[in-house]
Amino acid sequence: MTATALEILKTVYGYDAFRGPQAHIVEHVIAGNNAFVLMPTGGGKSLCYQIPAIVRPGMGLVVSPLLALMADQVTALRQAGVRAAALNSDLSPDERRTLWRDIRAGALDLLYVAPETLLRPDVLELLDGVKLSLIAIDEAHCLSQWGHDFRPSYRQLDAVVARFAGTPRMALTATADEPTRVEILSHLTIADTDAFIAGFDRPNIRYAIEVKDNPRAQLREFLKRYEGESGIVYCLSKRRTEETAAWLQGLGYDALAYHAGMDKAAREANQMRFQHGEAVIMVATVAFGMGIDKPDVRFVAHIDLPGSIEAYYQETGRAGRDGLPSDTLMLYGYEDIALRSRFIEESEAPDQRKRMERQKLDALLGLAETAGCRRQVLLSYFGDHCEPCGNCDTCAEPPKLFEGAIAAQKALSCIYRTGERFGQAYIVDVLLGVENERIAQLGHDRISTFGIGTEHDNRTWRAILRQLIALRLVDVDLTGHGGLSIAPGGRDFLRDKPTLMLRVPAPPRAKRGKVARSAAQSAVTDADHDLFQALRRKRTDIARQQNVPPYVIFHDKTLIELAAARPGSRAEMANVPGVGEAKLDRYGPAFLAVIAEHA
């Protein structure tokens, strides 16, 4: 590792040592090599291209998919004393001319640009005369047709690679399964020997998945631990997004809505409030979030089933980017499975794509229904592994299992004898022997499966049917009516009658009495709590004066370290992780004064 890279890590970013494979990657790229970097969110991917761009001669060119993400990165870099800028459509003609003058004069370390802007012929021609230190393609999974955030403009970046063939190129992502990784390497002609796979584990994130009984009540209970903290609530539809945000506002939360159907100015204003706030909840569709760099998101909740494990991993990964403990909650039910299945079948995608999407949905349902460690299932999907984590709901409270072969045979037989066209609720009523007008009218009170399932209650039968769907023993009618039919695997099951272990549904969670502090809040000791809050207030004041997000001043993690170390001088403060020279010069006196007041 070059002394220059370590010096930059300390003086610019305020850290004494690299983490994990960062040092190897930085050294590899400084030497002029290409690199594919797969590293979990919060693992420090940005440093892997930022430091080589500063060390190597020329300007680093960073391809990024979103204007908001570029602006966030540039603001944070400038706070740290790095010469960075973004080239985008929001610049005025005068700003654009000034920026190009700086680029030609070699006055920038890093230039961020969207792929659509970069691919314009005039931009490429102007860059021909610029010395480039490297080309970094962030969120590189966007170029894969199998990636969940496919962007057609990313596919055209091979033209840029060819045009600047002698410039080291990097592709970076936190979310790429094996097919996606292979496609990225092939498309950007990066060798396997230049690939750095740092794993997918986010040990600070706690995963929890619950059956959707009463989503508002479940969400309200979940949020009780997060007073004064920021988070994201994901919904499937625009309508659900707006209704949930309004409901949370009625409960006293500072909640905002975000979806693709909103006016652009309103979306941008809400995103700005979320980025700059310290206790804001964003209620959003998947239109929100890719590349969100806010490190102090303490929770992510899904009140509808996400589209795939990749989407779930990336969306939950927006929590706890600062490494502090954070929580996730996913709610799902039978209706979610039917709706997601219908989305796949009604899409205009080719059959190969539909098959892939069905496999992705099956994998997600396997994660939702597993009786084992959720983290193990999640990581195995990406080809990674871990020991049982102890930091997910199934590790904390292992679900009970029962031999469910007889129950499955009864359910499948009931589906068959009612004509394979009725939904979950009707099948359960027949199994329980419920006497009502519809069942009597259709004559299903006279079939052999009427009332044969009274050993289980309604809640258990719904859980059994949901697991049979997840196991592909039962299919859901995709015309919108939600009728159940026996899948080919179900017919094989009825013929072979193998052992089948199923989960016993967990009882509904009782309302919490005394609300515990969140895990992140518990990272601050009682003795340091008042000082930590005072440091946060000072940070907020400074951020408002500069109109920047508070976390670009200092992360919560740095404030926790300051509160614990209580430095009394500039030299002592320089030893706190996350305090680089530029920030020490700019903010040291103000924060040292707050610490002195609490001595």
Side-chain angles (χ1 to χ4, degrees), residues 517 521-533 563 566:
R517 294 166 68 183
Q521 290 169 344
S522 299
V524 184
T525 66
D526 291 340
D528 297 334
H529 183 265
D530 289 347
L531 175 54
F532 172 70
Q533 293 300 333
R566 298 177 182 255

Side-chain angles (χ1 to χ4, degrees), residues 374-413:
R374 295 207 195 275
R375 195 178 307 273
Q376 285 185 318
V377 175
L378 185 63
L379 296 186
S380 68
Y381 178 84
F382 293 106
D384 202 353
H385 65 277
C386 70
E387 296 300 318
C389 70
N391 194 30
C392 69
D393 56 344
T394 49
C395 279
E397 299 178 48
K400 296 178 181 178
L401 300 177
F402 73 100
E403 211 318 302
I406 298 300
Q409 291 168 30
K410 289 181 177 181
L412 292 169
S413 180

Side-chain angles (χ1 to χ4, degrees), residues 141 144-150 175-181 183 305-312 330 337 340-341 344 352-368 377-378 381-382 470 472:
H141 59 274
S144 169
Q145 63 177 325
W146 305 121
H148 59 286
D149 282 321
F150 176 57
T175 317
D177 58 10
E178 183 62 29
T180 302
R181 297 199 293 269
E183 187 172 6
L305 190 70
S308 65
I309 284 188
E310 290 101 325
Y312 173 76
M330 185 179 91
I337 301 171
R340 283 293 182 187
S341 298
I344 295 170
Q352 183 185 16
R353 179 76 193 192
K354 287 184 178 180
R355 281 196 298 274
M356 178 69 78
E357 293 300 327
R358 289 188 207 106
Q359 292 169 8
K360 289 176 181 287
L361 178 60
D362 288 346
L364 181 64
L365 295 178
L367 172 67
V377 175
L378 185 63
Y381 178 84
F382 293 106
R472 285 295 182 194

Side-chain angles (χ1 to χ4, degrees), residues 80-96:
V82 178
R83 302 176 301 170
L87 175 63
N88 59 54
S89 56
D90 288 348
L91 297 178
S92 69
D94 285 344
E95 289 172 329
R96 186 176 292 269

Side-chain angles (χ1 to χ4, degrees), residues 212-263:
K212 188 187 295 185
D213 286 326
N214 183 333
R216 287 194 172 182
Q218 289 168 287
L219 180 61
R220 185 169 58 238
E221 283 299 304
F222 176 71
L223 293 179
K224 283 182 178 179
R225 299 179 65 195
Y226 300 100
E227 184 178 348
E229 298 189 89
S230 290
I232 304 171
V233 177
Y234 280 108
C235 307
L236 185 56
S237 69
K238 301 172 187 177
R239 178 179 175 182
R240 177 78 67 91
T241 296
E242 293 180 349
E243 290 175 348
T244 303
W247 170 69
L248 287 173
Q249 289 166 9
L251 295 178
Y253 291 99
D254 186 3
L256 307 171
Y258 189 107
H259 59 74
M262 293 171 61
D263 175 74

